[in-house]
């Protein structure tokens, strides 16, 4: 992967998991990073461990104004914007379709879909000012297929794949590339939540069953997902636009 020297990247959902791994890796490759999450303390702490090219900021992606502020801060602090990693997401509740309440659907879509929409809207003027750029949206392998018991989450991840394809077609002529990162099961907090909700008290058994479906025989790591996200941000991916990129250990090959 080429380096990211001089690039300015904004990352949502940066307090842990894929977001934190991406922030740390981007910084190590020479980028300046604005790391955001709902609570300031975690992302401020991450930024402090990195250095003066990193900034932590509290952002609720469900709020349009917070997204606008996020980009304004990036531009004020670093003077340009080259990429946004719209990674914030929630898994919601696990259970049968007919038991999912209106509130459960709304909560998942507010973060996973509206959060992406608001992030793109906020970033576009700054990316246009830069003359090019990359938008990477975290979807999932379940944004490409179904999964029992995860209807709101799966539907939201399909939605952002559709949004990405529309954006890639619209923004490509301006030199702005848009792609999705589609992780398989990742060894992090979100999967622990899904496992435990799927079979309370037997999360380890669910984990083993999921891992058995992956040809590599294991979950992928946050760092493996981060590497793909940053490749898509880099100049090495200058011809890549409008596609889904699975980091799934071969899960979708079956």
């Amino acid at each position: 992967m080429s380096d990211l020297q001089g690039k300015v990247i904004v990352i949502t959902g940066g307090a842990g998991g894929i977001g934190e791994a991406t922030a740390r890796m981007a910084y190590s490759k020479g980028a300046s990073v604005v790391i955001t999450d709902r609570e300031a303390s975690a992302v401020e702490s991450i930024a402090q461990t990195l250095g003066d090219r990193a900034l932590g900021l509290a952002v609720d992606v469900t709020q349009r104004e917070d997204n606008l502020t996020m980009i304004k801060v990036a531009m004020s602090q670093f003077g340009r914007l080259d990429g946004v990693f719209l990674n914030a997401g929630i898994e919601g509740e696990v259970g049968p379709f007919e038991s999912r309440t209106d509130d459960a659907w709304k909560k998942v879509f507010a973060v996973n879909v509206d959060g992406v929409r608001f992030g793109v809207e906020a970033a576009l003027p700054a990316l246009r000012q830069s003359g090019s750029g990359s938008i990477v949206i975290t979807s999932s392998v379940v944004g490409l297929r179904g999964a029992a018991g995860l209807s709101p989450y799966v539907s939201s991840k399909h939605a952002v794949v559709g949004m990405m394809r529309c954006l890639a077609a619209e923004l490509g002529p301006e030199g702005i590339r848009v792609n999705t990162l589609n992780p398989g099961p990742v060894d992090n907090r979100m999967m622990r939540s899904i496992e435990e909700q799927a079979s309370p008290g037997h999360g380890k058994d669910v984990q083993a069953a999921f891992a058995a479906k992956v040809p590599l025989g294991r979950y992928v790591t946050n760092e493996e997902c981060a590497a793909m996200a940053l490749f898509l941000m880099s100049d090495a991916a200058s011809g890549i636009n409008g596609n889904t990129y699975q980091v799934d250990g071969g899960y979708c090959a079956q």
Side-chain angles (χ1 to χ4, degrees), residues 88-120:
I90 60 172
E91 69 276 16
E93 301 170 359
V94 176
F97 181 90
E98 66 272 17
S99 70
R100 299 307 90 208
T101 64
D102 288 350
D103 188 54
W105 280 87
K106 288 175 182 176
K107 283 181 178 177
V108 170
F109 268 66
V111 177
N112 296 3
V113 181
D114 289 340
V116 170
R117 178 167 63 95
F118 294 154
V120 173

Tab-separated table of all heavy atoms in Angstrom, residues 88-120:
chain	number	residue	atom	x	y	z
A	88	ALA	N	-18.864	4.723	11.363
A	88	ALA	CA	-19.726	4.597	12.526
A	88	ALA	C	-20.903	3.671	12.216
A	88	ALA	O	-21.535	3.786	11.164
A	88	ALA	CB	-20.233	5.969	12.963
A	89	GLY	N	-21.190	2.761	13.125
A	89	GLY	CA	-22.306	1.844	12.914
A	89	GLY	C	-22.675	1.118	14.194
A	89	GLY	O	-21.853	0.987	15.103
A	90	ILE	N	-23.924	0.680	14.259
A	90	ILE	CA	-24.385	-0.124	15.392
A	90	ILE	C	-25.040	-1.387	14.862
A	90	ILE	O	-25.599	-1.402	13.766
A	90	ILE	CB	-25.357	0.654	16.294
A	90	ILE	CG1	-26.605	1.106	15.523
A	90	ILE	CG2	-24.651	1.849	16.944
A	90	ILE	CD1	-27.685	1.720	16.400
A	91	GLU	N	-24.981	-2.432	15.670
A	91	GLU	CA	-25.567	-3.718	15.279
A	91	GLU	C	-27.053	-3.802	15.585
A	91	GLU	O	-27.792	-4.545	14.945
A	91	GLU	CB	-24.825	-4.878	15.936
A	91	GLU	CG	-24.998	-4.994	17.437
A	91	GLU	CD	-24.044	-4.103	18.233
A	91	GLU	OE1	-23.448	-3.181	17.654
A	91	GLU	OE2	-23.911	-4.350	19.439
A	92	GLY	N	-27.502	-3.036	16.583
A	92	GLY	CA	-28.902	-3.118	16.987
A	92	GLY	C	-29.213	-4.421	17.697
A	92	GLY	O	-28.323	-5.130	18.183
A	93	GLU	N	-30.482	-4.744	17.733
A	93	GLU	CA	-30.951	-5.931	18.444
A	93	GLU	C	-31.016	-7.124	17.499
A	93	GLU	O	-31.348	-6.988	16.328
A	93	GLU	CB	-32.332	-5.675	19.033
A	93	GLU	CG	-32.381	-4.496	20.005
A	93	GLU	CD	-33.797	-4.121	20.380
A	93	GLU	OE1	-34.745	-4.763	19.863
A	93	GLU	OE2	-33.959	-3.176	21.164
A	94	VAL	N	-30.715	-8.302	18.043
A	94	VAL	CA	-30.777	-9.546	17.281
A	94	VAL	C	-32.076	-10.266	17.634
A	94	VAL	O	-32.421	-10.391	18.813
A	94	VAL	CB	-29.572	-10.444	17.597
A	94	VAL	CG1	-29.686	-11.784	16.867
A	94	VAL	CG2	-28.274	-9.737	17.231
A	95	GLY	N	-32.803	-10.714	16.631
A	95	GLY	CA	-34.049	-11.437	16.885
A	95	GLY	C	-34.886	-11.548	15.635
A	95	GLY	O	-34.557	-10.969	14.586
A	96	PRO	N	-36.008	-12.283	15.705
A	96	PRO	CA	-36.853	-12.512	14.536
A	96	PRO	C	-37.389	-11.205	13.939
A	96	PRO	O	-37.613	-10.230	14.664
A	96	PRO	CB	-38.003	-13.363	15.085
A	96	PRO	CG	-37.450	-13.998	16.313
A	96	PRO	CD	-36.499	-13.002	16.896
A	97	PHE	N	-37.628	-11.219	12.652
A	97	PHE	CA	-38.090	-10.041	11.930
A	97	PHE	C	-39.322	-9.415	12.581
A	97	PHE	O	-39.379	-8.202	12.803
A	97	PHE	CB	-38.416	-10.431	10.482
A	97	PHE	CG	-38.876	-9.290	9.625
A	97	PHE	CD1	-37.971	-8.530	8.910
A	97	PHE	CD2	-40.231	-8.977	9.524
A	97	PHE	CE1	-38.389	-7.469	8.110
A	97	PHE	CE2	-40.664	-7.921	8.737
A	97	PHE	CZ	-39.737	-7.161	8.032
A	98	GLU	N	-40.314	-10.229	12.907
A	98	GLU	CA	-41.582	-9.683	13.388
A	98	GLU	C	-41.498	-9.125	14.807
A	98	GLU	O	-42.405	-8.418	15.260
A	98	GLU	CB	-42.695	-10.743	13.323
A	98	GLU	CG	-42.523	-11.930	14.266
A	98	GLU	CD	-41.703	-13.063	13.673
A	98	GLU	OE1	-40.998	-12.813	12.664
A	98	GLU	OE2	-41.768	-14.185	14.209
A	99	SER	N	-40.393	-9.412	15.491
A	99	SER	CA	-40.237	-8.879	16.850
A	99	SER	C	-39.429	-7.582	16.891
A	99	SER	O	-39.261	-6.991	17.952
A	99	SER	CB	-39.558	-9.921	17.750
A	99	SER	OG	-38.197	-10.086	17.390
A	100	ARG	N	-38.959	-7.120	15.741
A	100	ARG	CA	-38.189	-5.880	15.712
A	100	ARG	C	-39.149	-4.689	15.730
A	100	ARG	O	-40.004	-4.557	14.863
A	100	ARG	CB	-37.314	-5.793	14.458
A	100	ARG	CG	-36.257	-6.863	14.268
A	100	ARG	CD	-35.333	-7.031	15.441
A	100	ARG	NE	-35.859	-8.024	16.380
A	100	ARG	CZ	-35.616	-8.044	17.670
A	100	ARG	NH1	-34.878	-7.094	18.205
A	100	ARG	NH2	-36.115	-8.978	18.439
A	101	THR	N	-39.011	-3.827	16.699
A	101	THR	CA	-39.904	-2.689	16.859
A	101	THR	C	-39.543	-1.555	15.890
A	101	THR	O	-38.436	-1.520	15.329
A	101	THR	CB	-39.819	-2.141	18.284
A	101	THR	OG1	-38.490	-1.640	18.513
A	101	THR	CG2	-40.143	-3.223	19.314
A	102	ASP	N	-40.469	-0.621	15.731
A	102	ASP	CA	-40.175	0.566	14.922
A	102	ASP	C	-38.951	1.288	15.468
A	102	ASP	O	-38.097	1.760	14.702
A	102	ASP	CB	-41.365	1.532	14.933
A	102	ASP	CG	-42.537	1.026	14.110
A	102	ASP	OD1	-42.367	0.036	13.377
A	102	ASP	OD2	-43.619	1.635	14.202
A	103	ASP	N	-38.860	1.368	16.793
A	103	ASP	CA	-37.734	2.063	17.416
A	103	ASP	C	-36.409	1.378	17.086
A	103	ASP	O	-35.401	2.036	16.829
A	103	ASP	CB	-37.931	2.129	18.931
A	103	ASP	CG	-36.913	3.006	19.620
A	103	ASP	OD1	-36.766	4.179	19.220
A	103	ASP	OD2	-36.249	2.524	20.566
A	104	ALA	N	-36.408	0.041	17.091
A	104	ALA	CA	-35.178	-0.705	16.769
A	104	ALA	C	-34.720	-0.413	15.347
A	104	ALA	O	-33.530	-0.207	15.093
A	104	ALA	CB	-35.410	-2.200	16.961
A	105	TRP	N	-35.668	-0.391	14.407
A	105	TRP	CA	-35.327	-0.076	13.019
A	105	TRP	C	-34.803	1.347	12.900
A	105	TRP	O	-33.794	1.607	12.239
A	105	TRP	CB	-36.552	-0.256	12.120
A	105	TRP	CG	-36.829	-1.670	11.735
A	105	TRP	CD1	-37.579	-2.581	12.442
A	105	TRP	CD2	-36.376	-2.360	10.566
A	105	TRP	NE1	-37.613	-3.788	11.774
A	105	TRP	CE2	-36.894	-3.675	10.621
A	105	TRP	CE3	-35.601	-1.977	9.469
A	105	TRP	CZ2	-36.645	-4.619	9.626
A	105	TRP	CZ3	-35.350	-2.919	8.471
A	105	TRP	CH2	-35.861	-4.220	8.559
A	106	LYS	N	-35.492	2.277	13.545
A	106	LYS	CA	-35.107	3.683	13.428
A	106	LYS	C	-33.724	3.950	14.004
A	106	LYS	O	-32.941	4.724	13.438
A	106	LYS	CB	-36.147	4.560	14.124
A	106	LYS	CG	-37.461	4.641	13.373
A	106	LYS	CD	-38.500	5.424	14.170
A	106	LYS	CE	-39.838	5.470	13.444
A	106	LYS	NZ	-40.883	6.159	14.249
A	107	LYS	N	-33.395	3.323	15.122
A	107	LYS	CA	-32.087	3.538	15.744
A	107	LYS	C	-30.960	3.069	14.824
A	107	LYS	O	-29.945	3.756	14.658
A	107	LYS	CB	-32.010	2.797	17.083
A	107	LYS	CG	-32.744	3.481	18.213
A	107	LYS	CD	-32.595	2.702	19.520
A	107	LYS	CE	-33.286	3.421	20.671
A	107	LYS	NZ	-33.196	2.635	21.936
A	108	VAL	N	-31.118	1.893	14.228
A	108	VAL	CA	-30.080	1.353	13.345
A	108	VAL	C	-29.938	2.213	12.087
A	108	VAL	O	-28.823	2.564	11.679
A	108	VAL	CB	-30.375	-0.112	12.983
A	108	VAL	CG1	-29.443	-0.592	11.870
A	108	VAL	CG2	-30.225	-1.002	14.213
A	109	PHE	N	-31.046	2.580	11.485
A	109	PHE	CA	-30.978	3.374	10.255
A	109	PHE	C	-30.473	4.788	10.518
A	109	PHE	O	-29.804	5.376	9.658
A	109	PHE	CB	-32.335	3.395	9.557
A	109	PHE	CG	-32.482	2.285	8.545
A	109	PHE	CD1	-32.508	0.954	8.956
A	109	PHE	CD2	-32.547	2.555	7.194
A	109	PHE	CE1	-32.622	-0.074	8.035
A	109	PHE	CE2	-32.656	1.533	6.263
A	109	PHE	CZ	-32.692	0.205	6.678
A	110	ALA	N	-30.761	5.336	11.697
A	110	ALA	CA	-30.280	6.686	12.013
A	110	ALA	C	-28.760	6.745	11.992
A	110	ALA	O	-28.164	7.700	11.482
A	110	ALA	CB	-30.805	7.129	13.381
A	111	VAL	N	-28.113	5.719	12.531
A	111	VAL	CA	-26.646	5.689	12.564
A	111	VAL	C	-26.078	5.174	11.243
A	111	VAL	O	-25.230	5.817	10.616
A	111	VAL	CB	-26.140	4.814	13.731
A	111	VAL	CG1	-24.609	4.736	13.709
A	111	VAL	CG2	-26.628	5.356	15.069
A	112	ASN	N	-26.550	4.013	10.811
A	112	ASN	CA	-25.901	3.302	9.708
A	112	ASN	C	-26.200	3.873	8.336
A	112	ASN	O	-25.407	3.688	7.403
A	112	ASN	CB	-26.306	1.831	9.737
A	112	ASN	CG	-25.826	1.099	10.971
A	112	ASN	OD1	-25.216	1.699	11.855
A	112	ASN	ND2	-26.099	-0.188	11.055
A	113	VAL	N	-27.344	4.552	8.189
A	113	VAL	CA	-27.718	5.100	6.875
A	113	VAL	C	-27.707	6.625	6.897
A	113	VAL	O	-26.985	7.260	6.121
A	113	VAL	CB	-29.088	4.559	6.417
A	113	VAL	CG1	-29.439	5.118	5.032
A	113	VAL	CG2	-29.079	3.035	6.375
A	114	ASP	N	-28.486	7.223	7.804
A	114	ASP	CA	-28.483	8.687	7.869
A	114	ASP	C	-27.103	9.216	8.232
A	114	ASP	O	-26.684	10.266	7.727
A	114	ASP	CB	-29.507	9.187	8.888
A	114	ASP	CG	-30.942	8.989	8.422
A	114	ASP	OD1	-31.155	8.827	7.202
A	114	ASP	OD2	-31.845	8.986	9.271
A	115	GLY	N	-26.397	8.514	9.099
A	115	GLY	CA	-25.047	8.943	9.470
A	115	GLY	C	-24.110	8.999	8.281
A	115	GLY	O	-23.284	9.915	8.161
A	116	VAL	N	-24.255	8.046	7.372
A	116	VAL	CA	-23.454	8.056	6.139
A	116	VAL	C	-23.902	9.190	5.226
A	116	VAL	O	-23.087	9.942	4.676
A	116	VAL	CB	-23.562	6.692	5.421
A	116	VAL	CG1	-22.944	6.769	4.023
A	116	VAL	CG2	-22.881	5.605	6.247
A	117	ARG	N	-25.205	9.333	5.064
A	117	ARG	CA	-25.740	10.392	4.199
A	117	ARG	C	-25.285	11.770	4.661
A	117	ARG	O	-24.809	12.579	3.862
A	117	ARG	CB	-27.268	10.307	4.184
A	117	ARG	CG	-27.951	11.386	3.369
A	117	ARG	CD	-29.420	11.047	3.140
A	117	ARG	NE	-30.182	10.988	4.371
A	117	ARG	CZ	-30.892	12.006	4.875
A	117	ARG	NH1	-30.887	13.180	4.247
A	117	ARG	NH2	-31.600	11.860	5.976
A	118	PHE	N	-25.410	12.035	5.956
A	118	PHE	CA	-24.998	13.331	6.484
A	118	PHE	C	-23.489	13.532	6.346
A	118	PHE	O	-23.022	14.642	6.081
A	118	PHE	CB	-25.402	13.462	7.948
A	118	PHE	CG	-26.888	13.497	8.197
A	118	PHE	CD1	-27.402	13.087	9.417
A	118	PHE	CD2	-27.771	13.938	7.225
A	118	PHE	CE1	-28.770	13.117	9.664
A	118	PHE	CE2	-29.151	13.974	7.458
A	118	PHE	CZ	-29.644	13.555	8.690
A	119	GLY	N	-22.729	12.454	6.535
A	119	GLY	CA	-21.282	12.557	6.398
A	119	GLY	C	-20.854	12.907	4.997
A	119	GLY	O	-19.961	13.746	4.776
A	120	VAL	N	-21.474	12.279	4.009
A	120	VAL	CA	-21.165	12.595	2.609
A	120	VAL	C	-21.558	14.025	2.288
A	120	VAL	O	-20.776	14.784	1.690
A	120	VAL	CB	-21.877	11.612	1.656
A	120	VAL	CG1	-21.701	12.056	0.199
A	120	VAL	CG2	-21.334	10.197	1.837
